[in-house]
Amino acid sequence: MARILIVDDENDFRSAVAEVLRGAGHEISECETGNHALEILGNETFNVLLTDLRLPGCSGTEVLRTAARRMPDSILLVMTAYGSLDSAIDALRIGAHDYFIKPVNLGVLLHKVNQLVTHQAALAENRFLRNTLEIDVPSSGLVGRSEAIAGIDRLIAKVAAAPDSTVLITGETGTGKELVARAIHNASPRHERPFVAINCGAIPENLLESALFGHVRGAFTGADREKQGLFEVAADGTIFLDEIGEMPLVLQPKILRTLEDREIMRVGSTTSIRISARVIAATHRNLAKLAVEGAFRQDLYYRLNVVEIEIPPLRNRPQDIQPITMHYLERLCRSMNRPMPLLEPEALRALENYPWPGNVRELRNVLERALILKEGPRIGVEDLPGILTSKDARNSDDLKVARAEFEVQHILRVIAKCDGDKRRAAAAMGIDLSSLYRKVERSNESDPGE
């Protein structure tokens, strides 16, 4: 609904226009002279001004100028029976959005008004969200208006003040675990020292020990020189052990010893080296369950889990999708040197209705794709991947079933992106290779054609 002022001295025509617009749910005010219109505009504001150019008293052109000055965000439309190219150009220069020649087709006029009102409302909401986000981005970097994000931000501040304590960050792939780890480091007294990150699931077992602890010359074939490990490189800073749940069991006792004794030993060496880096670990897996099953050491789990920060999946905080979307659109537009687009309401609803198995990372990728492929100054549902607007995405009642379907599609897209290399795809998604095969096999069993 919009507030609309109609200014026209032809009573029957003005009444007919008002009746059509009221029938569409708009709130209508009417007047028949330019002077009366100026008086009304001095006391009220409207979403839409619809004025004739020829009026008793002051002209419609003067009414148009006054409205453009007093209501810069309003929609200005001109009607006249004396249409000419010159008058159309003058009206557009003043700020009119469109120009109608009498007799006006009321159906066309109604469609145009509704179209412009929807567009202006979306623009206003986009501006509001951008202004809000500029003020209210948590120090964690996790954008959102949910209480879950506010709670994480408060917990980060407390953990950062205890710069020696080990932290375990849990959450699904793509929720922003490394972002939280960096926020803890940046807010701590160690912020001027290195932040070193390693994905424990992306490095082969025979290389991971050397990467973490370093090696001496001759320790193994190819070790032609001494090398520091990442614990040493981190020095007095922070080492972030991402996907700690994928760490081989054979290495876990060495990590436990490092945490307990604050010492490491390079591969092939017999000499201990003192280390002082803070350890922050992260995983998308349930370490407590893995520990009970014997797939992860219980003593290491307890030692890592001094403070746990759990990041909920995006589907559990749908109120965060809108601000996250606006935040990433602005960042992507700056990096791509493009103007900020209008996000159509239908497109936003599609984003809010999708369960996001890949969480914030997947949402960011979808937005980047939309910016690249869109035509014109706006993002509509046609610019989004089909999976977001498919019938299954809109109508699935069983969240578990829907999520499984979306998860399979995401896995297949990542495999394609990695040129069919499933090991690399698994590492990119933060899961082990066997999990990837199980998920793909289940999808093939349910749909052999896929």
Side-chain angles (χ1 to χ4, degrees):
M1 187 189 75
R3 297 193 70 230
I4 302 176
L5 175 61
I6 304 174
V7 188
D8 198 292
D9 61 336
E10 296 181 34
N11 293 331
D12 291 343
F13 174 72
R14 188 180 67 248
S15 297
V17 173
E19 183 179 355
V20 168
L21 294 175
R22 281 196 186 97
H26 300 296
E27 179 185 335
I28 305 300
S29 296
E30 303 177 49
C31 67
E32 58 181 307
T33 69
N35 291 338
H36 190 195
L38 294 181
E39 182 181 340
I40 293 174
L41 291 173
N43 299 304
E44 300 181 57
T45 59
F46 298 86
N47 304 109
V48 180
L49 170 70
L50 191 59
T51 183
D52 195 347
L53 286 181
R54 290 207 173 193
L55 295 169
C58 74
S59 69
T61 301
E62 184 59 33
V63 172
L64 199 62
R65 285 197 182 95
T66 301
R69 186 173 63 253
R70 295 181 179 175
M71 305 183 306
D73 294 328
S74 295
I75 299 164
L76 309 179
L77 299 172
V78 170
M79 306 177 296
T80 183
Y82 304 92
S84 70
L85 182 60
D86 290 342
S87 60
I89 292 173
D90 287 342
L92 294 173
R93 282 174 177 168
I94 292 170
H97 290 74
D98 212 335
Y99 188 91
F100 299 96
I101 304 297
K102 291 182 177 179
V104 178
N105 183 315
L106 296 183
V108 172
L109 186 145
L110 176 61
H111 174 75
K112 189 66 177 181
V113 168
N114 287 339
Q115 185 183 54
L116 290 170
V117 166
T118 300
H119 179 80
Q120 291 294 87
L123 278 176
E125 185 174 18
N126 276 223
R127 283 194 297 270
F128 170 76
L129 286 169
R130 291 202 299 272
N131 291 338
T132 301
L133 288 170
E134 287 173 3
I135 299 171
D136 192 27
V137 176
S139 60
S140 65
L142 293 176
V143 176
R145 57 169 70 106
S146 65
E147 177 55 34
I149 295 302
I152 289 172
D153 205 46
R154 291 191 294 268
L155 191 54
I156 286 172
K158 293 180 180 180
V159 170
D164 297 328
S165 298
T166 305
V167 182
L168 178 63
I169 305 170
T170 59
E172 293 181 3
T173 299
T175 49
K177 296 186 288 294
E178 183 169 345
L179 201 62
V180 171
R182 288 184 181 275
I184 294 171
H185 172 77
N186 292 336
S188 77
R190 299 176 180 266
H191 67 277
E192 294 184 348
R193 308 302 295 166
F195 177 91
V196 178
I198 181 171
N199 187 325
C200 299
I203 300 177
E205 178 180 331
N206 61 328
L207 298 179
L208 183 58
E209 182 178 6
S210 173
L212 290 170
F213 304 118
H215 61 257
V216 298
R217 183 178 179 181
F220 50 82
T221 303
D224 55 356
R225 59 186 176 86
E226 189 173 79
K227 183 182 178 182
Q228 283 188 329
L230 295 183
F231 275 99
E232 290 181 77
V233 173
D236 296 325
T238 300
I239 183 166
F240 175 51
L241 304 178
D242 197 8
E243 296 304 344
I244 189 76
E246 311 304 322
M247 178 171 285
L249 276 169
V250 68
L251 281 182
Q252 292 179 23
K254 298 184 179 182
I255 295 294
L256 178 63
R257 179 177 178 271
T258 299
L259 294 174
E260 294 287 357
D261 300 337
R262 310 301 294 170
E263 290 182 347
I264 63 166
M265 190 176 295
R266 292 178 179 174
V267 177
S269 175
T270 57
T271 304
S272 296
I273 301 173
R274 295 290 298 174
I275 57 104
S276 57
R278 179 187 202 158
V279 175
I280 300 177
T283 182
H284 74 284
R285 306 184 71 182
N286 186 334
L287 292 190
K289 182 180 178 182
L290 291 179
V292 171
E293 295 171 350
F296 196 87
R297 289 184 63 106
Q298 282 191 336
D299 48 5
L300 177 57
Y301 167 64
Y302 295 137
R303 186 63 185 81
L304 289 170
N305 196 26
V306 175
V307 178
E308 180 179 354
I309 299 178
E310 181 180 2
I311 308 175
L314 193 53
R315 66 181 173 277
N316 290 353
R317 43 190 179 97
Q319 66 270 45
D320 290 340
I321 291 175
Q322 192 176 51
I324 290 171
T325 296
M326 301 309 300
H327 174 71
Y328 275 112
L329 279 178
E330 283 209 329
R331 287 186 58 181
L332 288 166
C333 286
R334 283 199 301 269
S335 67
M336 298 166 71
N337 195 26
R338 295 189 178 190
M340 182 73 176
L342 167 69
L343 181 66
E344 295 284 6
E346 295 83 1
L348 178 58
R349 281 194 291 272
L351 296 176
E352 291 175 332
N353 290 334
Y354 181 66
W356 297 110
N359 291 291
V360 178
R361 182 182 297 146
E362 184 182 8
L363 174 56
R364 184 195 180 282
N365 292 342
V366 164
L367 295 174
E368 183 174 1
R369 174 189 184 275
L371 281 172
I372 293 170
L373 299 182
K374 72 178 180 66
E375 299 286 346
R378 64 186 66 192
I379 293 176
V381 290
E382 66 277 5
D383 301 310
L384 302 177
I387 192 170
L388 269 71
T389 55
S390 68
K391 183 178 178 181
D392 290 340
R394 293 193 305 269
N395 297 333
S396 177
D397 294 325
D398 189 324
L399 181 59
K400 290 183 178 179
V401 172
R403 186 186 171 205
E405 293 173 353
F406 297 134
E407 184 180 66
V408 168
Q409 293 299 322
H410 178 71
I411 289 172
L412 295 175
R413 287 198 302 272
V414 176
I415 291 174
K417 187 177 179 180
C418 294
D419 299 323
D421 187 334
K422 294 184 178 65
R423 184 179 297 279
R424 189 153 58 93
M429 291 182 286
I431 62 176
D432 56 56
L433 189 58
S434 59
S435 294
L436 183 146
Y437 276 115
R438 283 196 301 272
K439 293 176 186 295
V440 174
E441 286 170 3
R442 281 200 298 269
S443 73
N444 289 337
E445 290 169 2
S446 62
D447 185 0
E450 187 69 29

